[in-house]
Amino acid sequence: MSKFRFLKVPVNGANTGRSLVTVNNFFETENNVGYFKAETFKQMMTEIKEVAPGLYSNYVNFFNCVKDGLYIRSSIAKQTHKITGVDYYHTRFAKGMRQLGTTIYDEENIGKFISDYANGLIQTDFTLAELIEACG
């Protein structure tokens, strides 16, 4: 056994023992519980991209961080926007020596998705663009 084995650093996203959530099982179907209905997700992303491009970039960053297997370094608590009254989650991912914050609206089962990911139950292999493309 090499005494330099500690130099091997685990690769982000190379998680073992976690269920893989793919584009196909992220969405709810007749045979799959899923986290979101494809129609709702596509409509929401289209509206957010048009009306709130800054928020849309939060979703891009969120799904990239999850795909890369980055750790969530904040509590997972649903909050309510003071002006709009919309519920959301604010997460902070550890990315190198900095943290990347994202805001995600609480729609359908996205809270469960965030919780499952934060608790190490799932990993993903898709980006936001791939999810939107899968919506049709």
Short mmCIF file of all heavy atoms in Angstrom, two decimals, residues 104-135:
data_model
loop_
_atom_site.label_atom_id
_atom_site.label_comp_id
_atom_site.label_asym_id
_atom_site.label_seq_id
_atom_site.Cartn_x
_atom_site.Cartn_y
_atom_site.Cartn_z
N ILE A 104 -34.13 29.05 -6.03
CA ILE A 104 -34.99 28.15 -6.79
C ILE A 104 -36.40 28.23 -6.21
O ILE A 104 -36.61 28.03 -5.02
CB ILE A 104 -34.47 26.69 -6.69
CG1 ILE A 104 -33.02 26.58 -7.15
CG2 ILE A 104 -35.38 25.72 -7.45
CD1 ILE A 104 -32.79 26.92 -8.60
N TYR A 105 -37.40 28.54 -7.07
CA TYR A 105 -38.79 28.62 -6.62
C TYR A 105 -39.29 27.25 -6.18
O TYR A 105 -38.95 26.23 -6.77
CB TYR A 105 -39.69 29.14 -7.73
CG TYR A 105 -39.64 30.64 -7.93
CD1 TYR A 105 -40.26 31.22 -9.02
CD2 TYR A 105 -38.98 31.47 -7.06
CE1 TYR A 105 -40.23 32.59 -9.22
CE2 TYR A 105 -38.94 32.83 -7.25
CZ TYR A 105 -39.57 33.39 -8.33
OH TYR A 105 -39.55 34.73 -8.52
N ASP A 106 -40.13 27.25 -5.16
CA ASP A 106 -40.71 26.02 -4.64
C ASP A 106 -41.93 25.65 -5.47
O ASP A 106 -43.04 26.08 -5.18
CB ASP A 106 -41.09 26.18 -3.17
CG ASP A 106 -41.67 24.91 -2.59
OD1 ASP A 106 -41.20 23.82 -2.98
OD2 ASP A 106 -42.58 25.00 -1.75
N GLU A 107 -41.71 24.89 -6.50
CA GLU A 107 -42.78 24.41 -7.37
C GLU A 107 -42.77 22.90 -7.38
O GLU A 107 -41.70 22.28 -7.41
CB GLU A 107 -42.59 24.92 -8.81
CG GLU A 107 -42.72 26.42 -8.97
CD GLU A 107 -44.14 26.90 -8.80
OE1 GLU A 107 -45.09 26.14 -9.09
OE2 GLU A 107 -44.32 28.05 -8.37
N GLU A 108 -43.93 22.31 -7.36
CA GLU A 108 -44.11 20.86 -7.38
C GLU A 108 -43.19 20.19 -6.36
O GLU A 108 -43.23 20.54 -5.19
CB GLU A 108 -43.97 20.32 -8.80
CG GLU A 108 -45.05 20.90 -9.70
CD GLU A 108 -45.25 20.18 -11.00
OE1 GLU A 108 -44.70 19.08 -11.18
OE2 GLU A 108 -45.99 20.72 -11.84
N ASN A 109 -42.33 19.25 -6.76
CA ASN A 109 -41.50 18.51 -5.82
C ASN A 109 -40.04 18.93 -5.85
O ASN A 109 -39.16 18.14 -5.51
CB ASN A 109 -41.60 17.01 -6.10
CG ASN A 109 -42.95 16.45 -5.73
OD1 ASN A 109 -43.54 16.88 -4.74
ND2 ASN A 109 -43.43 15.51 -6.51
N ILE A 110 -39.75 20.17 -6.22
CA ILE A 110 -38.35 20.61 -6.29
C ILE A 110 -37.72 20.65 -4.90
O ILE A 110 -36.52 20.41 -4.75
CB ILE A 110 -38.20 21.97 -7.02
CG1 ILE A 110 -36.76 22.18 -7.51
CG2 ILE A 110 -38.65 23.12 -6.15
CD1 ILE A 110 -36.33 21.30 -8.63
N GLY A 111 -38.51 20.92 -3.88
CA GLY A 111 -37.99 20.90 -2.51
C GLY A 111 -37.50 19.52 -2.12
O GLY A 111 -36.45 19.36 -1.49
N LYS A 112 -38.22 18.49 -2.54
CA LYS A 112 -37.79 17.11 -2.29
C LYS A 112 -36.53 16.81 -3.08
O LYS A 112 -35.63 16.14 -2.57
CB LYS A 112 -38.90 16.13 -2.65
CG LYS A 112 -38.48 14.68 -2.45
CD LYS A 112 -39.64 13.75 -2.29
CE LYS A 112 -39.26 12.29 -2.16
NZ LYS A 112 -38.03 11.97 -1.49
N PHE A 113 -36.44 17.30 -4.31
CA PHE A 113 -35.24 17.10 -5.13
C PHE A 113 -34.02 17.70 -4.42
O PHE A 113 -32.99 17.05 -4.29
CB PHE A 113 -35.43 17.73 -6.51
CG PHE A 113 -34.22 17.63 -7.40
CD1 PHE A 113 -33.96 16.46 -8.09
CD2 PHE A 113 -33.35 18.70 -7.54
CE1 PHE A 113 -32.83 16.36 -8.92
CE2 PHE A 113 -32.24 18.61 -8.34
CZ PHE A 113 -31.98 17.43 -9.04
N ILE A 114 -34.16 18.93 -3.96
CA ILE A 114 -33.05 19.61 -3.26
C ILE A 114 -32.69 18.83 -1.99
O ILE A 114 -31.50 18.60 -1.72
CB ILE A 114 -33.42 21.06 -2.93
CG1 ILE A 114 -33.59 21.87 -4.22
CG2 ILE A 114 -32.36 21.71 -2.04
CD1 ILE A 114 -34.21 23.25 -4.03
N SER A 115 -33.68 18.42 -1.24
CA SER A 115 -33.44 17.67 -0.01
C SER A 115 -32.78 16.32 -0.30
O SER A 115 -31.82 15.94 0.38
CB SER A 115 -34.77 17.46 0.73
OG SER A 115 -34.57 16.68 1.87
N ASP A 116 -33.28 15.60 -1.30
CA ASP A 116 -32.68 14.31 -1.66
C ASP A 116 -31.23 14.47 -2.07
O ASP A 116 -30.38 13.68 -1.68
CB ASP A 116 -33.47 13.64 -2.80
CG ASP A 116 -34.82 13.09 -2.35
OD1 ASP A 116 -35.09 13.08 -1.13
OD2 ASP A 116 -35.59 12.68 -3.24
N TYR A 117 -30.95 15.53 -2.82
CA TYR A 117 -29.57 15.78 -3.25
C TYR A 117 -28.68 16.14 -2.05
O TYR A 117 -27.59 15.58 -1.87
CB TYR A 117 -29.51 16.89 -4.30
CG TYR A 117 -28.10 17.20 -4.70
CD1 TYR A 117 -27.39 16.35 -5.54
CD2 TYR A 117 -27.43 18.31 -4.18
CE1 TYR A 117 -26.07 16.61 -5.88
CE2 TYR A 117 -26.12 18.57 -4.51
CZ TYR A 117 -25.44 17.72 -5.36
OH TYR A 117 -24.12 17.97 -5.67
N ALA A 118 -29.16 17.05 -1.23
CA ALA A 118 -28.38 17.51 -0.07
C ALA A 118 -28.11 16.36 0.91
O ALA A 118 -27.05 16.34 1.55
CB ALA A 118 -29.11 18.64 0.64
N ASN A 119 -29.03 15.41 1.01
CA ASN A 119 -28.87 14.28 1.91
C ASN A 119 -28.09 13.12 1.29
O ASN A 119 -27.96 12.06 1.91
CB ASN A 119 -30.24 13.79 2.40
CG ASN A 119 -30.89 14.78 3.33
OD1 ASN A 119 -30.23 15.43 4.14
ND2 ASN A 119 -32.19 14.94 3.21
N GLY A 120 -27.58 13.32 0.09
CA GLY A 120 -26.74 12.31 -0.55
C GLY A 120 -27.49 11.11 -1.08
O GLY A 120 -26.91 10.05 -1.28
N LEU A 121 -28.78 11.27 -1.36
CA LEU A 121 -29.57 10.15 -1.86
C LEU A 121 -29.53 10.02 -3.37
O LEU A 121 -29.75 8.94 -3.91
CB LEU A 121 -31.03 10.30 -1.40
CG LEU A 121 -31.25 10.37 0.11
CD1 LEU A 121 -32.73 10.61 0.41
CD2 LEU A 121 -30.76 9.09 0.78
N ILE A 122 -29.28 11.15 -4.06
CA ILE A 122 -29.33 11.14 -5.52
C ILE A 122 -28.13 11.87 -6.12
O ILE A 122 -27.46 12.66 -5.44
CB ILE A 122 -30.62 11.79 -6.07
CG1 ILE A 122 -30.71 13.27 -5.63
CG2 ILE A 122 -31.85 11.00 -5.66
CD1 ILE A 122 -31.82 14.05 -6.28
N GLN A 123 -27.89 11.59 -7.38
CA GLN A 123 -26.96 12.36 -8.20
C GLN A 123 -27.62 12.51 -9.57
O GLN A 123 -28.59 11.81 -9.88
CB GLN A 123 -25.61 11.67 -8.32
CG GLN A 123 -25.66 10.31 -8.98
CD GLN A 123 -24.28 9.66 -8.99
OE1 GLN A 123 -23.31 10.22 -8.53
NE2 GLN A 123 -24.22 8.47 -9.53
N THR A 124 -27.14 13.43 -10.38
CA THR A 124 -27.75 13.66 -11.69
C THR A 124 -26.70 13.60 -12.79
O THR A 124 -25.50 13.65 -12.52
CB THR A 124 -28.46 15.03 -11.76
OG1 THR A 124 -27.47 16.06 -11.67
CG2 THR A 124 -29.48 15.19 -10.65
N ASP A 125 -27.19 13.54 -14.02
CA ASP A 125 -26.29 13.53 -15.17
C ASP A 125 -26.78 14.50 -16.26
O ASP A 125 -26.53 14.30 -17.42
CB ASP A 125 -26.15 12.12 -15.73
CG ASP A 125 -27.43 11.60 -16.36
OD1 ASP A 125 -28.49 12.23 -16.19
OD2 ASP A 125 -27.38 10.55 -17.04
N PHE A 126 -27.49 15.57 -15.86
CA PHE A 126 -28.06 16.49 -16.84
C PHE A 126 -27.89 17.94 -16.43
O PHE A 126 -27.65 18.24 -15.26
CB PHE A 126 -29.55 16.19 -17.05
CG PHE A 126 -30.36 16.18 -15.77
CD1 PHE A 126 -30.76 17.36 -15.16
CD2 PHE A 126 -30.70 14.98 -15.18
CE1 PHE A 126 -31.48 17.35 -13.98
CE2 PHE A 126 -31.45 14.96 -14.00
CZ PHE A 126 -31.83 16.14 -13.40
N THR A 127 -28.04 18.82 -17.42
CA THR A 127 -28.02 20.26 -17.19
C THR A 127 -29.44 20.80 -17.37
O THR A 127 -30.34 20.07 -17.80
CB THR A 127 -27.09 20.97 -18.21
OG1 THR A 127 -27.63 20.76 -19.53
CG2 THR A 127 -25.67 20.43 -18.12
N LEU A 128 -29.62 22.06 -17.10
CA LEU A 128 -30.94 22.68 -17.30
C LEU A 128 -31.33 22.63 -18.77
O LEU A 128 -32.47 22.32 -19.10
CB LEU A 128 -30.92 24.14 -16.80
CG LEU A 128 -32.22 24.91 -17.02
CD1 LEU A 128 -33.38 24.27 -16.26
CD2 LEU A 128 -32.06 26.36 -16.60
N ALA A 129 -30.39 22.90 -19.66
CA ALA A 129 -30.69 22.88 -21.10
C ALA A 129 -31.19 21.50 -21.53
O ALA A 129 -32.13 21.39 -22.33
CB ALA A 129 -29.46 23.29 -21.91
N GLU A 130 -30.59 20.46 -20.99
CA GLU A 130 -31.03 19.09 -21.34
C GLU A 130 -32.41 18.79 -20.78
O GLU A 130 -33.20 18.11 -21.44
CB GLU A 130 -29.99 18.08 -20.82
CG GLU A 130 -28.68 18.17 -21.57
CD GLU A 130 -27.54 17.44 -20.88
OE1 GLU A 130 -27.60 17.20 -19.65
OE2 GLU A 130 -26.57 17.10 -21.59
N LEU A 131 -32.73 19.32 -19.61
CA LEU A 131 -34.07 19.15 -19.05
C LEU A 131 -35.12 19.84 -19.92
O LEU A 131 -36.15 19.27 -20.23
CB LEU A 131 -34.14 19.72 -17.63
CG LEU A 131 -33.68 18.85 -16.49
CD1 LEU A 131 -33.81 19.62 -15.17
CD2 LEU A 131 -34.45 17.55 -16.41
N ILE A 132 -34.82 21.07 -20.31
CA ILE A 132 -35.77 21.84 -21.13
C ILE A 132 -35.97 21.14 -22.48
O ILE A 132 -37.09 21.03 -22.97
CB ILE A 132 -35.29 23.29 -21.30
CG1 ILE A 132 -35.34 24.01 -19.95
CG2 ILE A 132 -36.13 24.02 -22.34
CD1 ILE A 132 -34.68 25.37 -19.93
N GLU A 133 -34.88 20.65 -23.06
CA GLU A 133 -34.97 19.95 -24.35
C GLU A 133 -35.84 18.70 -24.21
O GLU A 133 -36.61 18.36 -25.12
CB GLU A 133 -33.56 19.57 -24.81
CG GLU A 133 -33.53 18.92 -26.18
CD GLU A 133 -32.11 18.58 -26.60
OE1 GLU A 133 -31.21 19.42 -26.38
OE2 GLU A 133 -31.92 17.47 -27.13
N ALA A 134 -35.74 18.00 -23.10
CA ALA A 134 -36.51 16.77 -22.89
C ALA A 134 -38.00 17.06 -22.72
O ALA A 134 -38.82 16.15 -22.91
CB ALA A 134 -35.99 16.04 -21.67
N CYS A 135 -38.36 18.29 -22.39
CA CYS A 135 -39.77 18.65 -22.23
C CYS A 135 -40.52 18.63 -23.56
O CYS A 135 -41.74 18.55 -23.58
CB CYS A 135 -39.90 20.03 -21.59
SG CYS A 135 -39.38 20.11 -19.88
#
